[in-house]
Amino acid sequence: MDDANRMNAAQLNARFGLEAQLRFEANRDGMIFGVVDTPQCRGQFWLHGAHITSFQPQGHDELLFVSRDAIYRNDKAIRGGVPICFPWFGANPSAPDLPAHGWARTQPWTVHNTKQSEHSVEVELRLSQQPFEVTFRMEFSSALRLHLSVINKSAESQKFESALHSYFAISDIESIEITGLEAAPFLDQLTSTTHTGAGEAIRFNAETDRIYTAINDNPIAIVDPAAGRQIVVERSNSASVVVWNPWIDKSQRMGDFGDDEWKTMCCIETANIGAECIELPAGKSHCMTACHRADVV
Ligand code: TA6
């Protein structure tokens, strides 16, 4: 491991801090997180899992949802924010005992680079675990731009799935709708049934867990009139989108999620899953991007 793996907050601030705009801190258990504070936005991310837990653009309320019962521990993914699902999504098909959604979100990532410009703070975190080298570039500005880059460091072709499993903060799940997926077919993960495009915006009245495929690059929006905003997700190099709300029963089954929190969150996940997984030739790289922003409505 290079020394960046072992730096404490003070050493990270000396090498990667950006005056008032980016500083590193540690919680009482020594888990290190970065705090972004610029004229354009505020944000927070953890080296654990390269996990973003806050993004609040200037003039808007917090965009991301994090459970009040989230657990901050090295063997557990933080419940909320933007977990990185990699190199598989859901249960590992060949090793069901392995953790769901892969190992990236419970590994310690290292700071590779930080940079500030007139309108943004950029942070690059990196994780190497054979056969992949993964770099997660976060751009904090008036929007949150995320770049998940994967290099196949092995001598043969490798397949992987990936998802930026973004939890968004909403006013009330029963009063929002999601636009931009009207024409996309989807797999209902709850019934394992496939459906053609619904031809209308998505509204919620029960547990919803869908993988949309064959989508174009059109923006997806969570339209939230009660919050006076829409949250817009733009993607590139992503052939799958997951829409998830746990509703009542699943919320009660999740120990790190409040029983009533299903009402004020919704996941829109930028992904490449299943038949849309990525096959990467030896030495090649792939970069999936997602941009999250809020518009006043
Ligand atoms: O993205 C939807 C989903 O696959 C759901 O099935 C649910 O399991 C959710 O992810 C959360 O998974 P986690 O492993 O973070 O509890």
Side-chain angles (χ1 to χ4, degrees):
M1 281 198 301
D2 67 34
D3 59 1
N5 280 334
R6 290 188 291 272
M7 283 186 170
N8 63 30
Q11 292 163 322
L12 287 165
N13 283 320
R15 179 164 169 192
F16 295 110
L18 298 169
E19 292 111 31
Q21 297 210 353
L22 170 65
R23 69 181 188 278
F24 293 90
E25 298 183 21
N27 73 1
R28 63 174 179 274
D29 298 324
M31 293 179 73
I32 290 179
F33 59 98
V35 178
V36 174
D37 189 353
T38 79
Q40 289 78 28
C41 72
R42 301 179 65 129
Q44 182 188 66
F45 61 90
W46 297 76
L47 299 193
H48 170 60
H51 200 130
I52 299 171
T53 49
S54 174
F55 174 63
Q56 183 172 5
Q58 179 62 32
H60 286 276
D61 293 336
E62 175 63 53
L63 233 65
L64 301 179
F65 165 90
V66 175
S67 172
R68 63 175 178 263
D69 296 337
I71 295 168
Y72 294 76
R73 209 175 58 210
N74 289 329
D75 62 344
K76 177 94 178 127
I78 299 166
R79 177 67 64 192
V82 184
I84 297 174
C85 304
F86 179 87
W88 65 85
F89 183 86
N92 182 308
S94 54
D97 294 340
L98 290 177
H101 291 331
W103 36 253
R105 65 180 184 165
T106 51
Q107 292 295 308
W109 293 54
T110 57
V111 182
H112 180 68
N113 188 28
T114 59
K115 181 169 73 172
Q116 77 184 77
S117 69
E118 187 180 355
H119 298 296
S120 75
V121 160
E122 279 186 43
V123 181
E124 269 190 353
L125 303 180
R126 186 163 285 179
L127 174 64
S128 290
Q129 187 149 327
Q130 287 306 324
F132 301 112
E133 178 184 276
V134 196
T135 301
F136 188 47
R137 181 157 65 87
M138 307 172 280
E139 288 181 60
F140 292 90
S141 62
S142 55
L144 178 62
R145 292 182 176 79
L146 307 174
H147 311 259
L148 185 68
S149 301
V150 181
I151 302 174
N152 174 3
K153 306 289 278 185
S154 73
E156 55 274 337
S157 177
Q158 300 286 345
K159 286 186 179 180
F160 67 86
E161 295 176 304
S162 60
L164 295 173
H165 194 302
S166 303
Y167 287 68
F168 293 105
I170 57 168
S171 61
D172 170 5
I173 192 67
E174 295 180 271
S175 71
I176 64 160
E177 65 178 21
I178 294 177
T179 61
L181 291 167
E182 291 82 351
F186 64 90
L187 165 69
D188 183 330
Q189 292 220 88
L190 302 173
T191 58
S192 301
T193 54
T194 56
H195 301 258
T196 57
E200 59 186 9
I202 301 166
R203 297 187 70 86
F204 297 85
N205 58 24
E207 181 178 356
T208 304
D209 193 348
R210 300 176 180 176
I211 299 176
Y212 286 82
T213 56
I215 32 199
N216 50 39
D217 281 352
N218 290 349
I220 298 167
I222 301 176
V223 182
D224 191 350
R229 74 178 181 186
Q230 64 177 8
I231 294 174
V232 180
V233 175
E234 294 179 297
R235 312 156 11 262
S236 68
N237 291 336
S238 154
S240 321
V241 167
V242 182
V243 175
W244 179 56
N245 181 276
W247 214 252
I248 300 167
D249 294 348
K250 182 142 188 174
S251 297
Q252 291 170 353
R253 296 197 299 268
M254 294 191 289
D256 59 346
F257 190 82
D259 287 356
D260 61 346
E261 289 187 313
W262 56 275
K263 296 175 183 174
T264 55
M265 56 69 68
C266 177
C267 286
I268 304 287
E269 306 162 34
T270 300
N272 289 293
I273 298 171
E276 278 75 36
C277 74
I278 300 299
E279 179 150 16
L280 206 49
K284 297 300 183 187
S285 64
H286 176 275
C287 183
M288 176 174 78
T289 69
C291 178
H292 301 345
R293 73 169 197 270
D295 293 342
V296 174
V297 294

